[in-house]
């Protein structure tokens, strides 16, 4: 069984985005691992493994428009299931 079940990926489109601040906030406020927060001051790509992806989405939405959202259940994937 995986410690963090959901592979959460999305893009944030905004202004004055700071990948280091976003990364620090996510790691200090949400349980998870494998965080990537990369981009520039207008577009950030997030990749994060967590059990509560909706909290990450809510935070990211507070920073700007979010899109290309993908949440994959890695537990189902390891069992050979789709979705």
């Amino acid at each position: 069984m995986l410690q963090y079940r959901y592979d959460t990926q999305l893009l944030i489109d905004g202004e004055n985005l700071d990948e280091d601040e976003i990364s620090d906030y996510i790691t200090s406020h949400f349980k998870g691992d494998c965080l990537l927060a990369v981009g520039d001051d207008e577009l950030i790509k997030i990749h994060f493994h967590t059990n509560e992806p909706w909290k990450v989405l809510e935070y990211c939405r507070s920073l700007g428009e979010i899109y290309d959202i993908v949440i994959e259940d890695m537990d189902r994937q390891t069992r050979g299931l789709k979705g």
Side-chain angles (χ1 to χ4, degrees), residues 6-20:
Y6 299 102
D7 178 4
T8 306
Q9 303 173 50
L10 63 123
L11 294 172
I12 308 169
D13 184 5
E15 296 178 6
N16 302 314
L17 299 173
D18 184 310
E19 61 188 27
D20 293 328

Side-chain angles (χ1 to χ4, degrees), residues 8 10 12 25-26 29-30 46 50 52-66 69 71:
T8 306
L10 63 123
I12 308 169
Y25 186 92
I26 290 173
H29 288 86
F30 307 119
I46 300 293
T50 183
E52 302 172 317
W54 57 91
K55 291 183 179 182
V56 176
L57 295 177
E58 184 176 48
Y59 165 68
C60 292
R61 177 59 188 105
S62 74
L63 301 174
E65 182 180 355
I66 59 174
I69 300 164
I71 299 172

